[in-house]
Amino acid sequence: MFSLNDDRAARGLLGLSFSFHRMASSSSSAPAASYDVPWVEKYRPSKVADIVGNEEAVSRLQVIARDGNMPHLILSGPPGIGKTTSILALAHELLGPNYKEAVLELNASDDRGIDVVRNKIKMFAQMKVTLPLGRHKIVILDEADSMTSGAQQALRRTMEIYSNSTRFALACNTSSKIIEPIQSRCALVRFSRLSDQEILSRLMVVVQAEKVPYVPEGLEAIIFTADGDMRQALNNLQATFSGFRFVNQENVFKVTNAEAHLAY
Ligand SMILES: Nc1ncnc2c1ncn2[C@@H]1O[C@H](COP(=O)(O)OP(=O)(O)OP(=O)(O)O)[C@@H](O)[C@H]1O
Ligand SMILES: [Mg+2]
């Protein structure tokens, strides 16, 4: 059971410096909500500069976006904090109109066993694409820590052979699950959990854009249950809004408890 009297809630939320606007609960004039588009997608930042938090990591990526010559990268950190978002935004900024032909995206739902590394990735790396000076083709390997070590060994070789033309960006929760030879060829960019204030700043953007009626305690409950995970915060906000049309503590806990029951 969640309680906002918990230590963490007290520490995290009492220190927040923001002003809530209590929105009129007569929401009849609110536009029809877009239930179909997940807010995590609708509000996914498309530019590196718009990614909230992790300033050091984000500014390193901004330098790469500006100067080009992206090194092989590993972005590591807990779920829902912007790793995939950062890689996609960086690739778009680097490659612009060439994105489609010059980026290969492979995520956990794609097969990324040894054959895929040998065939699909290698074929992409060998393919000739004309790009501006200082730009490279990019292979995005999401959730790379779930790749078998055989596949990683094959990947290591491909990375070496084609690094003139192709750079790799790996996202993972724990970089220690990436084999050492790959780690040593990559720049490691660490992401950590977002602060309550950072989550709040993004929630405010979304509640305003979507005209979500709320009370401050409702957002506090979302922030508390999300525990630094922006994806979870946005999903819980959307679930509460579409279930109850009003974000207060009670409704948030109904939604998050229901999800907890479904998960077990
Ligand atoms: N730092 C952030 N700033 C703004 N929005 C964010 C941030 N992090 C996450 N989000 C939101 O959450 C969604 C999920 O984020 P993302 O896919 O980047 O997480 P991730 O770190 O790759 O997580 P996982 O480890 O589960 O793959 C994004 O589409 C975006 O809407
Ligand atoms: Mg991801």
Side-chain angles (χ1 to χ4, degrees):
M1 243 335 194
F2 303 105
S3 154
L4 279 183
N5 295 324
D6 281 15
D7 232 25
R8 189 191 159 276
R11 263 186 296 116
L13 298 173
L14 294 179
L16 296 181
S17 55
F18 59 87
S19 60
F20 277 114
H21 309 281
R22 206 171 274 263
M23 293 188 58
S25 47
S26 61
S27 58
S28 53
S29 61
S34 35
Y35 307 110
D36 38 351
V37 190
W39 288 351
V40 283
E41 289 309 327
K42 188 169 174 188
Y43 295 97
R44 189 197 282 272
S46 59
K47 294 201 185 84
V48 176
D50 296 336
I51 290 158
V52 175
N54 283 293
E55 278 91 7
E56 194 194 320
V58 170
S59 68
R60 282 176 70 190
L61 298 178
Q62 280 183 286
V63 171
I64 297 170
R66 193 190 59 213
D67 298 349
N69 198 18
M70 183 188 101
H72 297 313
L73 291 174
I74 295 178
L75 279 66
S76 75
I81 55 173
K83 301 181 302 296
T84 300
T85 305
S86 300
I87 294 184
L88 294 175
L90 176 63
H92 276 286
E93 283 178 52
L94 285 169
L95 294 167
N98 298 116
Y99 186 95
K100 227 177 155 180
E101 49 172 355
V103 177
L104 176 64
E105 282 179 43
L106 293 170
N107 56 41
S109 55
D110 298 309
D111 178 14
R112 293 168 312 168
I114 196 157
D115 292 339
V116 169
V117 176
R118 287 206 183 113
N119 302 321
K120 201 167 176 178
I121 297 181
K122 195 167 144 196
M123 252 164 58
F124 173 81
Q126 288 173 334
M127 188 180 63
K128 178 113 189 77
V129 177
T130 308
L131 296 173
L133 202 67
R135 299 291 187 265
H136 303 85
K137 286 179 288 175
I138 299 174
V139 177
I140 298 177
L141 287 162
D142 219 354
E143 292 161 64
D145 38 4
S146 65
M147 291 176 80
T148 62
S149 69
Q152 291 191 37
Q153 292 292 354
L155 179 66
R156 161 199 179 176
R157 214 142 301 142
T158 312
M159 281 172 91
E160 262 167 17
I161 298 171
Y162 300 101
S163 70
N164 271 348
S165 67
T166 307
R167 301 290 160 84
F168 290 74
L170 284 62
C172 60
N173 295 127
T174 31
S175 60
S176 57
K177 289 202 185 136
I178 308 290
I179 58 169
E180 175 55 37
I182 291 183
Q183 285 190 50
S184 69
R185 283 172 180 77
C186 294
L188 178 61
V189 182
R190 282 182 204 281
F191 281 67
S192 41
R193 244 173 244 295
L194 299 169
S195 72
D196 291 349
Q197 184 66 54
E198 286 160 351
I199 302 263
L200 176 68
S201 69
R202 197 68 183 158
L203 288 178
M204 293 306 291
V205 169
V206 177
V207 293
Q208 271 154 20
E210 298 290 334
K211 300 198 168 24
V212 178
Y214 68 92
V215 290
E217 296 73 22
L219 297 190
E220 287 179 4
I222 286 175
I223 292 166
F224 175 71
T225 51
D227 198 16
D229 178 336
M230 187 77 87
R231 180 194 289 119
Q232 207 186 337
L234 292 176
N235 281 338
N236 288 343
L237 177 69
Q238 186 168 18
T240 307
F241 180 55
S242 51
F244 299 98
R245 325 299 300 151
F246 186 62
V247 177
N248 62 12
Q249 196 174 323
E250 193 192 344
N251 292 342
V252 170
F253 288 148
K254 274 187 203 150
V255 163
T256 51
N257 280 337
E259 277 172 6
H261 286 306
L262 283 176
Y264 293 103

